[in-house]
Amino acid sequence: GEFRMRLLRAVIAGAGLGVAGLACAGALPARAQAPTWVPAQPQAQAQAAAPAATPAPADDPVQRGRYLATAADCMPCHTAQGGTPFAGGRALNTPFGSITSPNITPDPATGIGRWSAEQFWGALHDGLRADGAYLYPVMPFASYTRITRPDADAIFAYLRSLPPANAPRQPNGLAFPFDVRATLGVWRELFFRPATFTPDPAKSAEWNRGAYLGTALGHCGECHTPRNLMGATERSRAMQGAVVDGWFAPDIAPADPRSAIAGWPVERIATWLRGGASSAKGTAFGPMGEVVHDSLSKLTEADLRALATWLADSAPPARPAPAVAEPDRAAAGLYLTYCAGCHQPLGTGVAGAIPPLAGNAAVLAAQPNNVIQAMLNGIPAQGNYGAMPMSGARLLSGFRSA
């Protein structure tokens, strides 16, 4: 309840503010000096790994489509926990209820085996099912609409090459009136227009490739852009951070002073995208861990650099720097009691084994969702990093006795 949330927010304040303050007579690290959002570890219950993506010859549509489907991160959403890849069945939570992903293997009865390339193009470009019904925008067609027709055809060729899986569509969990598909016509009229990716002639070919990856295939803005009450992304706040299913996708607006990647050089962003970890800033966890594990880590070095080039290159917007909060000594005491044993008194962590919290953008983010999720649910061990135990009960006990 409210008490539990106050507790967790207090400990986050201790990790982000009170740690250095307690040790240095109240001096706080400057917000502007804090690096940006850091990648996450894949979850222990991650979906089945996507096929390894390698540079595909332009004349092989199946292999090229395999790579493009990986860049578009299709498999995780279309794979149930422990299920057959691309056979659907994963429940995708929205503020309006859950939507279960469909089977996109070439099974003729339950998948897309009877679809034509034109109907598949209609799904990506126009947000329409094969029968012409509107797709729910949990399918990111508002971004996929920018995918080129040749790339859409290649993805379709790859999906048609998969083993068919008989997996009937499971029902959605939407409440009335959101379960009435026809009502999506109003949403589409207000918020959706089919589009085409148009390269910027003032930018390099590398930048434009990165923009295509980020805005079309990779659909970064679907998670990192706030949404309005009707579930549409707010274009005026593109990439400025948003809550997704209880997690906070941080601000990654290019060159924004408050962005999680503000000031990062292209090489550093590319390395982060590839591995989801930074020795100085920690590791990624939650949904972004899946994105790194199933998609970004499988892109070519050239595409990672292109995406990093696009993310890094933009004129800084004229937005004031956020105010620095005052340190909370009680929260710092909780941190030193329950967290410092692993993350160290000053939040430096242990290089390569325990992520730092000082300067970690998950701690410094505008909303504390990701740190709360980590404390309540823990994080499994990944690679050289040890497991983060569920600590909510211990912290609650300590908070009450403080």
Side-chain angles (χ1 to χ4, degrees), residues 300-381:
T300 64
E301 293 298 315
D303 273 352
L304 287 173
R305 182 175 176 85
L307 185 55
T309 297
W310 170 68
L311 285 170
D313 179 32
S314 179
R319 288 202 284 160
V324 177
E326 291 297 322
D328 186 323
R329 293 185 177 275
L334 287 172
Y335 172 85
L336 292 175
T337 300
Y338 295 99
C339 310
C342 292
H343 292 284
Q344 306 303 303
L346 297 182
T348 55
V350 177
I354 298 173
L357 297 180
N360 189 317
V363 175
L364 297 172
Q367 299 192 42
N369 300 52
N370 297 346
V371 181
I372 290 175
Q373 292 274 10
M375 289 192 287
L376 289 179
N377 303 315
I379 302 174

Side-chain angles (χ1 to χ4, degrees), residues 96 213 220:
F96 313 104
L213 288 165
C220 304

Side-chain angles (χ1 to χ4, degrees), residues 74-75 118 129 169 176 226 228 285 318 342 352 389:
C74 303
M75 183 279 298
E118 192 68 30
R129 296 193 316 192
R169 177 74 177 269
F176 180 82
N228 61 26
F285 52 92
C342 292

Side-chain angles (χ1 to χ4, degrees), residues 78 86-89 101-107 110-112 164-169:
H78 287 277
F86 298 99
S101 62
N103 180 355
I104 56 172
T105 73
D107 181 70
T110 64
I112 61 171
N166 187 279
R169 177 74 177 269

